[in-house]
Amino acid sequence: MKYVAASLLILTLFIGGCSDNHTAQETNSEVKASSDSTESTVSTETKSTKTTITDSPQAPDDSSLTEVGESFQDADGSITLNAISDYDETTTIGDVELHISDVKIMNYAPSPDLIDFFHGYSDNETQFNYVKLRVTVKNTSDKAVNFAPISMLETGSEKKGFEDDFYLESLYGVYAPNEERSGQLGFVLNETKVENLKAITVHTSDVFDQNKESLTKSKTIEVPF
């Protein structure tokens, strides 16, 4: 009887040990799965907050054009670089930081399917000149603001308002607290003689609050070529 009792005690301890080990393995697996899930979420969130410049559906990608006279063609049409500026600066307008760079003037022959789109922008929608600017706008405050990076653009012979931008990348309007957006703006030049152009003048909008009350007056930026 003593032998049987001892055997039963050993068996009970063995089963209990196996059960504890199995439970520990399950707990470790759950912790690892939770950790993996957290890492995946962080990675996704990090990627989603990155600001990138995307290829516009309205115009060819001009990133390869760095020298005047170079051309590029894709499904949107063909462009030739006529002028380029080395302007690359940040301007502070109250709680807003506006960075302007990669300013180019190009001659553009849109693809046939885009000609109708440009009918409202150009006097000759089959071939025209336009100026493109790359901008980054950041609201540095903890309150929402309303802002237009370009309220008016002047070349000396013509003026363009924000409604003339054909890139349509949602860079105008309300910026949430600490929000940052990057993109491109493009304005067709109907009257400007590009060969004589020495600079463009950019007027920002005021910085407004959500009630459209002005917080900071606009600024004027000269971009030389």
Side-chain angles (χ1 to χ4, degrees), residues 189-203:
L189 303 177
N190 290 311
E191 302 170 14
T192 302
K193 293 183 178 180
V194 174
E195 62 274 13
N196 298 329
L197 186 62
K198 302 299 181 183
I200 59 172
T201 303
V202 170
H203 303 276

Side-chain angles (χ1 to χ4, degrees), residues 50-213:
K50 288 182 179 179
T51 55
T52 57
I53 302 294
T54 57
D55 183 21
S56 170
Q58 276 76 251
D61 178 10
D62 61 81
S63 59
S64 64
L65 304 183
T66 58
E67 299 290 337
V68 173
E70 290 181 337
S71 298
F72 177 77
Q73 183 172 351
D74 64 12
D76 295 326
S78 61
I79 51 175
T80 300
L81 182 61
N82 285 341
I84 186 169
S85 174
D86 59 2
Y87 186 90
D88 189 350
E89 296 185 23
T90 298
T91 301
T92 301
I93 311 100
D95 291 325
V96 171
E97 291 180 352
L98 169 63
H99 185 82
I100 297 177
S101 64
D102 197 35
V103 183
K104 299 175 180 178
I105 295 179
M106 287 164 284
N107 184 263
Y108 184 18
S111 61
D113 60 305
L114 281 173
I115 289 177
D116 283 345
F117 171 80
F118 285 105
H119 183 72
Y121 293 95
S122 175
D123 297 337
N124 178 13
E125 59 268 27
T126 61
Q127 188 166 4
F128 52 84
N129 294 319
Y130 74 98
V131 57
K132 185 223 71 176
L133 308 90
R134 177 171 296 179
V135 302
T136 296
V137 179
K138 183 176 182 180
N139 175 13
T140 62
S141 75
D142 58 359
K143 296 181 180 179
V145 298
N146 196 314
F147 180 71
I150 297 181
S151 178
M152 179 77 70
L153 182 146
E154 296 183 80
T155 66
S157 54
E158 64 183 309
K159 298 179 180 180
K160 296 291 181 178
F162 70 89
E163 70 279 358
D164 294 313
D165 164 46
F166 69 82
Y167 270 75
L168 307 176
E169 295 188 2
S170 302
L171 296 168
Y172 303 92
V174 176
Y175 282 76
N178 301 303
E179 181 181 4
E180 180 177 317
R181 296 183 215 160
S182 294
Q184 301 176 109
L185 302 167
F187 301 89
V188 174
L189 303 177
N190 290 311
E191 302 170 14
T192 302
K193 293 183 178 180
V194 174
E195 62 274 13
N196 298 329
L197 186 62
K198 302 299 181 183
I200 59 172
T201 303
V202 170
H203 303 276
T204 74
S205 74
D206 289 2
V207 177
F208 299 93
D209 63 17
Q210 286 189 296
N211 297 319
K212 296 185 179 180
E213 294 290 333

